[in-house]
Amino acid sequence: DYKKKKKKKIQQEIKMSVWGKYLATGPDPREVESFSYSKKYLVAANLKSTVDKAKLQKIIKEYNSAGPIPAWVEAVFCPPSLYLEEALKTMRSDVAIGAQDCSANGYGAHTGEIAAEMLKDFGVKWVILGHSERRTNQKESSELIATKTRKAIDAGLQVMYCVGETLEEREAGKINAVVLDDHMAAFKGKFSDKEWDSIAIAYEPVWAIGTGKTATPDQAQEVHASIRAWLATNVSQAVSKKVRIQYGGSMKAANATELLSQPDVDGGLIGSASLKPEFITGIVAKCPKP
């Protein structure tokens, strides 16, 4: 049933407003064989700066007793940097540990910075880069985030690269201009096909983060498919086929099944719902079996 539903979704007409010029210059993503799940879903918990040590320990205890993680899902837990050691020591072994940011610099005289090499040395596997909160509050540009990604990849980390538009940008018809021509374009020509094995894309409509609003499954699929089309045109079809594209706008147990059933949604970057055991029981466990 899942495969039939997936095929039906692929065959659906895609709204041309998002594809734009990318269909004119590259392959139609409906014809790109990008939906075989030899790749695992990627579902990551982003705790942001919401917990103290006691709350963190409670969450880890709940995760550890929340039941099995499907073999077709990769789960990642990203606490504040101060608590990475606690998470590495006490989190169940089938949940990887990630950081929420890293420096654009390596070792050196960079007061207050955490270098990617330090995270790797500590045992961290993943890092979130380019989250909309850092783009807004720390004024991080796509070019800076591409530099951070280069540092992270060279250090041996894997990266969840965040892209997404604000409500004003969406209503002004600027989804392509923001997500593709700015956020994705900063990565063009920067990484080899092999290095793309270590990069996932997290689409986070900024208007849906922490607001309780969620993009509809069709809205999420539309933008995810445009990102995959961009990859096919500007990197390679092989990369577009293998890169995992997560959805990151208020995914929770109540909407996870429908979002995760979309053919181009390969997981989630979870905020508030990651503070509860439903991260495992209601989201990770809802990833459809291939």
Side-chain angles (χ1 to χ4, degrees), residues 112-167:
E113 296 292 324
I114 299 176
E117 295 90 340
M118 297 174 184
L119 294 173
K120 179 66 176 178
D121 183 52
F122 215 51
V124 170
K125 183 176 180 181
W126 285 89
V127 61
I128 300 168
L129 294 175
H131 194 281
S132 62
E133 290 158 2
R134 294 195 63 84
R135 288 181 186 270
T136 300
N137 299 330
Q138 279 72 40
K139 310 301 181 186
E140 292 191 355
S141 67
S142 297
E143 290 71 25
L144 174 64
I145 300 160
T147 299
K148 287 186 174 189
T149 301
R150 166 51 62 199
K151 287 290 185 181
I153 297 297
D154 288 349
L157 296 174
Q158 296 184 71
V159 172
M160 287 174 267
Y161 175 55
C162 301
V163 303
E165 80 287 354
T166 64
L167 181 60

Side-chain angles (χ1 to χ4, degrees), residues 40-222:
K40 291 185 175 184
Y41 288 91
L42 177 62
V43 184
N46 178 16
L47 273 63
K48 307 186 181 183
S49 296
T50 62
V51 297
D52 57 17
K53 187 174 182 179
K55 180 69 178 293
L56 179 89
Q57 291 171 331
K58 179 177 181 290
I59 293 170
I60 291 175
K61 184 177 180 180
E62 290 173 341
Y63 276 33
N64 288 346
S65 59
I69 291 175
W72 52 90
V73 182
E74 181 176 5
V76 185
F77 184 73
C78 302
S81 295
L82 280 173
Y83 303 134
L84 284 168
E85 183 174 16
E86 180 74 16
L88 285 161
K89 287 180 177 178
T90 61
M91 178 60 75
R92 57 193 290 175
S93 62
D94 55 355
V95 175
I97 303 302
Q100 297 177 16
D101 188 47
C102 72
S103 173
N105 303 296
Y107 291 112
H110 309 294
T111 302
E113 296 292 324
I114 299 176
E117 295 90 340
M118 297 174 184
L119 294 173
K120 179 66 176 178
D121 183 52
F122 215 51
V124 170
K125 183 176 180 181
W126 285 89
V127 61
I128 300 168
L129 294 175
H131 194 281
S132 62
E133 290 158 2
R134 294 195 63 84
R135 288 181 186 270
T136 300
N137 299 330
Q138 279 72 40
K139 310 301 181 186
E140 292 191 355
S141 67
S142 297
E143 290 71 25
L144 174 64
I145 300 160
T147 299
K148 287 186 174 189
T149 301
R150 166 51 62 199
K151 287 290 185 181
I153 297 297
D154 288 349
L157 296 174
Q158 296 184 71
V159 172
M160 287 174 267
Y161 175 55
C162 301
V163 303
E165 80 287 354
T166 64
L167 181 60
E168 292 76 17
E169 290 164 343
R170 171 172 278 271
E171 291 178 342
K174 295 181 178 179
I175 302 173
N176 280 352
V178 175
V179 175
L180 305 180
D181 299 336
D182 179 359
H183 297 174
M184 292 302 301
F187 276 35
K188 185 175 181 179
K190 301 287 180 63
F191 305 99
S192 68
D193 280 20
K194 180 62 178 175
E195 287 172 330
W196 274 98
D197 288 344
S198 298
I199 302 172
I201 305 298
Y203 168 60
E204 43 164 18
V206 180
W207 48 273
I209 298 173
T211 63
K213 297 180 181 179
T214 308
T216 67
D218 286 345
Q219 286 175 324
Q221 167 58 23
E222 190 177 359

Side-chain angles (χ1 to χ4, degrees), residues 4-36:
K4 289 180 180 178
K5 186 175 182 180
K6 184 169 62 176
K7 184 176 180 180
K8 184 178 179 181
K9 286 286 184 182
I10 297 170
Q11 292 173 338
Q12 288 177 340
E13 285 299 322
I14 305 298
K15 295 178 182 178
M16 298 301 294
S17 61
V18 171
W19 302 106
K21 62 185 179 182
Y22 296 97
L23 284 180
T25 59
D28 186 331
R30 289 167 290 183
E31 298 174 357
V32 176
E33 295 180 6
S34 55
F35 310 111
S36 85

